[in-house]
């Protein structure tokens, strides 16, 4: 806080403690006439009738009426309630004095003080000693002495503290109330921090704003500062010219706290945002980002809430040179660059809704260069839906912009329309559920294959439990497909093309799934052992003649082991007869739990042309897949997934994620290795080895250090297309420290990128984040 001449909010914490009133206090409802007769006349200042200098007894006589006819010249009949230990009247000076736990109430307003005096000659009303005033919106003023108006509002005050209803405190050396209700404070300090900790001990606020002058606008309920400076831990940090906020901290127009950053591509950055509160349901934020290494950038964000939903739109625009992602660093002309995103959802009726989101960038490196994101593709979609208890309808459209290096935008599909309808029916007499589905999709590419698809499906499921505890599920499925495609030769991977023109196929599947759980005690806990067996039969399906648009990234794992179709999507169907068997086991003890699953499948057919080697499903016997989860309370979480080659037990997939620690201090690490030996022509199925880690360590109650990183461990032998990797390539790391208490979030972060992509240069970046309770942050 500031030197002694400045008001210190934390020094006034004792005044925030409730004062207990004595047993002799009486609360009497006043009319205007009675209020005047007791010489407080706070509302009318009526003439003073004779009254003896006597104390109000602890047990008062019959109370006066709560209201009497008001004076003829008044337009306000609101009564004032009064309580005090003693009331005195000095005839010679014509001064009325109320002493001892004096309380005045008028609707939501109240004044408490040790002494309140009213000079009848001058009309001056003064409260002294532990004065506490509450206004009609709940703000509280503490001071030692205050001059009051007839409406129980303060006039001049010295050494005061204002506690706002929504949080925050304003302290000032002096203040006065103007005729229009505005309040002026001099040599003031504001903080949103509490002045006591959870144990009730006084503490200094971690931040405050000092100002030469503070103006409170009574009509607009708005606080404006002159000469405002932000202090953090007592150190002047940032001048805040034009700072203003509302007394209840509702959103209003104004300048937000600046944003600071330092990056390798653009140099030092200063972000200034003007916020415009257009109405209660809509706002606009306009940001100017200024750089030392490039031209400024403008950002605009508009948000609106309607009766049926909400939406927001954000746009960025600047002008700079673009360096080719191919590595050509020759001279480039300046051009306009930007990014747009929007999303919204509207509930049209109880069942109908429409939602959408869109993202588009001017080029492939804009987001990376300006540190707005690291996505390698931007998706846009719109979806009209109808949902009730037994049916679902969707009419959607999809578009994707690729930001990947070396991938042609013309090969990226646009899916419109995508129509899906499903209805679920009960089957009386037969039992089970019948689900009907109709689906159609049209995919268009500007420089690639176009495909249209339609199918209808009926699937029946019956689940029953036998007397011995087996859970049996019977499934029957019928489906008919119609496809049309052209320009198939433009698809690089031959296996994905299918035959051009019209193609049709029929699909029939029958399956039985049996689970038999066994429950018992083990090692002081409860264990559940569940063998599982499944038979799925599908006659031969025309797969290779059908274009493959949505079934490309096939990989056997524990999630799809017992699926009717291990291919994702609809375009590829796993035919033939197969047996799938596995085992689930779990052990639960107080404070910890372990669960594991393992399984394999065996096909009767030996069709090796459908799937490339390395997917785990190529030969009759599939690879062995499994998963293990371990939990120790909320301290340790560990998950391991694997896939073993069924021939030589080589790990084809090895993945684990581990978290150790709690909310404040923790360490997370993730590792993935895909060793499938799949040809590089299948770009969806390339091998990869990656290490991810992140952690945070809290210390000294409010401080913490944090860090994270991503390392590419893929050697060139496993992925020849990645020429930059040599088996250990750091991609990105982040280090920083943070301070977080009840009213302040402060952090400083160092980020380093190790890969240059076009004009998104490798190098160091630094950012500073500041969030103040009740004032927002950046």
């Amino acid at each position: 806080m500031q030197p002694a001449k400045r008001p210190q909010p934390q020094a006034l914490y004792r005044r925030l403690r409730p004062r207990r009133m004595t047993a002799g206090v009486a609360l009497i409802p006043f009319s205007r006439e009675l209020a005047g007769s007791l010489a407080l006349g706070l509302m009318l200042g009526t003439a003073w009738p004779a009254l003896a200098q006597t104390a109000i007894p602890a047990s008062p006589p019959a109370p006066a009426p709560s209201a009497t006819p008001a004076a003829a010249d008044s337009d306000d009949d609101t009564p004032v309630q009064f309580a005090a230990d003693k009331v005195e009247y000095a005839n010679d000076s014509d001064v009325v004095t109320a002493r001892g736990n004096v309380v005045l109430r008028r609707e939501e307003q109240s004044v408490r003080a040790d002494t309140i005096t009213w000079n009848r000659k001058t009309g001056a009303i003064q409260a002294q000693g532990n004065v506490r005033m509450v206004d009609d919106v709940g703000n509280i003023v503490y001071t030692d002495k205050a001059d009051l108006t007839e409406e129980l509002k303060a006039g001049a005050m010295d050494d005061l503290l204002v506690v706002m209803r929504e949080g925050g405190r304003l302290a000032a050396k002096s203040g006065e109330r103007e005729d229009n209700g505005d309040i002026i404070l001099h040599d003031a300090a504001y903080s949103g921090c509490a002045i006591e900790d959870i144990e009730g001990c006084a503490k200094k606020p971690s931040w405050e704003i000092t100002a030469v002058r503070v103006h409170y606008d009574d009509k607009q309920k708005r606080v404006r500062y002159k000469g405002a400076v932000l202090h953090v831990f007592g150190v002047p940090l940032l001048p805040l010219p034009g700072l203003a906020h509302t007394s209840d901290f509702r959103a209003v127009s104004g300048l937000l706290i600046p944003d600071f950053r330092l990056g390798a591509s653009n140099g030092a950055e200063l972000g200034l945002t003007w916020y415009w509160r257009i109405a209660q349901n809509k706002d606009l934020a306009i940001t100017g980002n200024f750089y030392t290494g490039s031209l400024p950038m403008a950002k605009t964000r508009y948000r609106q809430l309607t009766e049926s939903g909400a939406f927001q739109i954000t746009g960025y625009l600047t002008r700079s040179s673009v360096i080719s992602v191919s590595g050509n660093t020759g001279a480039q002309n300046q051009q306009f660059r930007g990014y747009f995103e929007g999303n919204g959802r509207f509930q049209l009726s109880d069942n109908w809704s429409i939602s959408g989101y869109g993202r588009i960038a001017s080029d492939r490196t804009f987001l990376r260069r300006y540190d707005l994101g690291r996505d390698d593709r931007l998706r846009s979609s719109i979806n009209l839906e109808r949902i009730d208890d037994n049916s679902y309808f969707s009419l959607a459209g999809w578009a994707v912009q690729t930001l990947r290096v070396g991938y042609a935008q013309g090969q990226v599909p646009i899916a419109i329309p995508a129509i899906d309808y499903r209805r679920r029916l009960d089957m009386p007499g037969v039992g089970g559920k019948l689900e009907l589905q109709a689906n159609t999709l049209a995919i268009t590419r500007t420089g690639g294959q176009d495909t249209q698809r339609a199918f209808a499906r009926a699937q029946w499921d019956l689940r029953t439990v036998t007397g011995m505890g087996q859970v049996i599920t019977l499934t029957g499925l019928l489906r008919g497909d119609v496809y049309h495609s052209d320009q198939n030769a433009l698809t690089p991977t031959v296996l994905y093309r299918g035959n051009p023109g019209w193609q049709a196929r029929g699909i029939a599947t029958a399956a039985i799934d049996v689970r038999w759980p066994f429950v018992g005690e083990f090692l002081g806990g409860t264990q559940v052992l569940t063998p599982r067996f499944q038979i799925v039969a599908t006659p031969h399906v025309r797969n290779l003649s059908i274009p493959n648009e949505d079934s490309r990234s096939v990989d056997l794992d524990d999630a799809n082991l017992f699926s009717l179709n291990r291919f994702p999507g609809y375009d590829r169907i796993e035919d033939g007869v197969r047996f799938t068997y596995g085992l689930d086991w779990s052990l639960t003890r107080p404070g910890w739990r372990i669960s594991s699953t393992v399984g394999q499948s065996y096909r009767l057919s030996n069709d090796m042309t459908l799937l490339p080697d390395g997917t785990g499903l190529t030969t009759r016997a599939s690879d062995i897949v499994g998963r293990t989860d371990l939990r120790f309370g909320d301290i340790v979480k560990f998950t391991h997934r694997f896939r073993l080659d069924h021939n030589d037990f080589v790990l084809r997939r090895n993945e684990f994620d581990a978290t150790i620690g709690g909310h404040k201090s923790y360490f997370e690490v993730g590792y993935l290795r895909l060793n499938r030996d799949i040809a590089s022509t299948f770009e969806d199925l390339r091998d990869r080895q990656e290490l991810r880690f992140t952690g945070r360590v809290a210390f000294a109650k409010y401080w913490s250090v944090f860090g994270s990183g991503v390392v590419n461990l893929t050697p060139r032998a496993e992925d020849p297309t990645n020429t930059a990797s040599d088996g250990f390539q750091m991609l990105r790391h982040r280090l920083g420290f943070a301070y977080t208490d009840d009213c302040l979030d402060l952090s400083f972060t160092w980020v380093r990128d190790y890969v240059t992509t076009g004009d998104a240069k490798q190098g160091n970046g630094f950012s500073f984040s500041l969030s103040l309770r009740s004032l927002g942050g950046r």
Side-chain angles (χ1 to χ4, degrees), residues 109-130:
Q109 300 172 249
S110 67
V111 177
R112 296 182 184 222
D114 293 342
T115 303
I116 293 182
T117 60
W118 176 46
N119 190 315
R120 290 190 60 215
K121 295 180 180 179
T122 63
I125 304 171
Q126 190 175 82
Q128 292 182 321
N130 296 314

Side-chain angles (χ1 to χ4, degrees), residues 699-717:
F699 64 95
K701 194 173 184 179
Y702 298 121
W703 291 91
S704 63
V705 293
F706 55 86
S708 64
V710 179
V711 184
N712 181 12
L713 301 176
T714 309
R716 293 189 181 95

Side-chain angles (χ1 to χ4, degrees), residues 405-437:
V405 177
Y407 199 89
Q409 180 65 44
Q411 289 287 337
V412 179
I414 301 173
I416 186 170
I419 304 175
D420 188 53
Y421 176 74
R422 306 183 191 193
R423 186 166 188 84
R424 185 176 56 190
L425 304 172
D426 292 325
M427 298 294 289
V430 179
K433 295 284 186 179
L434 178 65
E435 182 179 279
L436 305 176
Q437 180 184 12

Side-chain angles (χ1 to χ4, degrees), residues 26-31 34-35 38 63-67 79-83 105:
L27 192 61
I28 303 177
F30 280 21
S31 67
L34 184 56
L38 287 177
S66 59
V80 171
Q81 292 180 312
F82 168 84
R105 295 187 187 276

Side-chain angles (χ1 to χ4, degrees), residues 449 451 453 479 481 483 488 491 493-499 503 505 507 538 541-554 564-575 607 609-612 682:
Q449 177 177 329
T451 302
R453 178 192 72 197
R479 193 178 113 186
D481 299 351
Y483 281 79
N488 300 54
T491 297
T493 304
V494 177
L495 200 61
Y496 296 159
R497 292 176 180 174
N499 296 334
Q503 306 292 331
R505 67 180 177 184
I507 303 166
T538 303
V541 176
R542 297 180 65 222
N543 275 304
L544 296 181
S545 61
I546 301 297
N548 184 0
E549 298 284 3
D550 63 5
S551 300
R552 300 184 177 185
S553 298
V554 58
L564 294 179
N565 180 29
R566 267 86 69 93
F567 283 96
Y570 298 107
D571 292 338
R572 288 289 181 265
I573 302 296
E574 190 176 4
D575 54 11
D607 186 358
T609 61
L610 181 61
L611 293 164
F682 296 94

Side-chain angles (χ1 to χ4, degrees), residues 489-687:
L490 296 178
T491 297
T493 304
V494 177
L495 200 61
Y496 296 159
R497 292 176 180 174
N499 296 334
W502 291 95
Q503 306 292 331
R505 67 180 177 184
I507 303 166
T509 299
I512 180 171
D513 188 303
V514 181
R515 305 185 192 190
W516 197 354
F518 297 89
V519 182
E521 296 183 356
F522 181 66
L523 297 177
T526 301
Q527 69 170 336
V528 180
L529 182 66
T530 308
R532 184 175 181 182
F533 181 76
Q534 180 192 64
I535 302 175
V536 179
T538 303
H540 176 70
V541 176
R542 297 180 65 222
N543 275 304
L544 296 181
S545 61
I546 301 297
N548 184 0
E549 298 284 3
D550 63 5
S551 300
R552 300 184 177 185
S553 298
V554 58
D555 195 13
L556 181 65
D557 58 26
D558 63 286
N560 64 8
L561 176 64
F562 286 92
S563 298
L564 294 179
N565 180 29
R566 267 86 69 93
F567 283 96
Y570 298 107
D571 292 338
R572 288 289 181 265
I573 302 296
E574 190 176 4
D575 54 11
V577 178
R578 72 175 184 270
F579 304 94
T580 306
Y581 38 87
L583 190 67
D584 297 331
W585 176 79
S586 66
L587 173 63
T588 303
R589 294 192 59 189
W592 64 277
R593 183 178 188 273
I594 183 172
S595 62
S596 183
T597 183
V598 64
Q600 186 185 28
S601 67
Y602 184 85
R603 291 192 297 120
L604 298 184
S605 63
N606 194 26
D607 186 358
M608 299 186 63
T609 61
L610 181 61
L611 293 164
D613 291 334
T615 59
L617 294 167
T618 307
T619 58
R620 289 186 174 185
S622 76
D623 288 348
I624 302 169
V625 296
R627 169 177 175 152
T628 300
D629 292 289
L630 177 63
R631 300 287 187 274
F632 276 99
D634 295 329
I635 303 300
V636 177
K637 300 177 183 179
F638 178 83
T639 299
H640 178 246
R641 301 176 183 89
F642 69 90
R643 176 158 67 87
L644 291 174
D645 192 297
H646 70 284
N647 289 320
D648 51 14
F649 299 103
V650 173
L651 272 173
R652 297 300 180 187
R653 179 189 185 101
N654 187 21
E655 179 181 6
F656 68 82
D657 292 281
T659 301
I660 301 175
H663 176 69
K664 293 184 177 180
S665 296
Y666 60 88
F667 179 74
E668 297 178 1
V669 60
Y671 172 79
L672 170 65
R673 185 184 183 188
L674 300 177
N675 181 27
R676 299 174 293 191
D677 293 333
I678 298 178
S680 60
T681 54
F682 296 94
E683 56 92 14
D684 304 276
L685 302 171
R686 290 175 181 166
D687 289 343

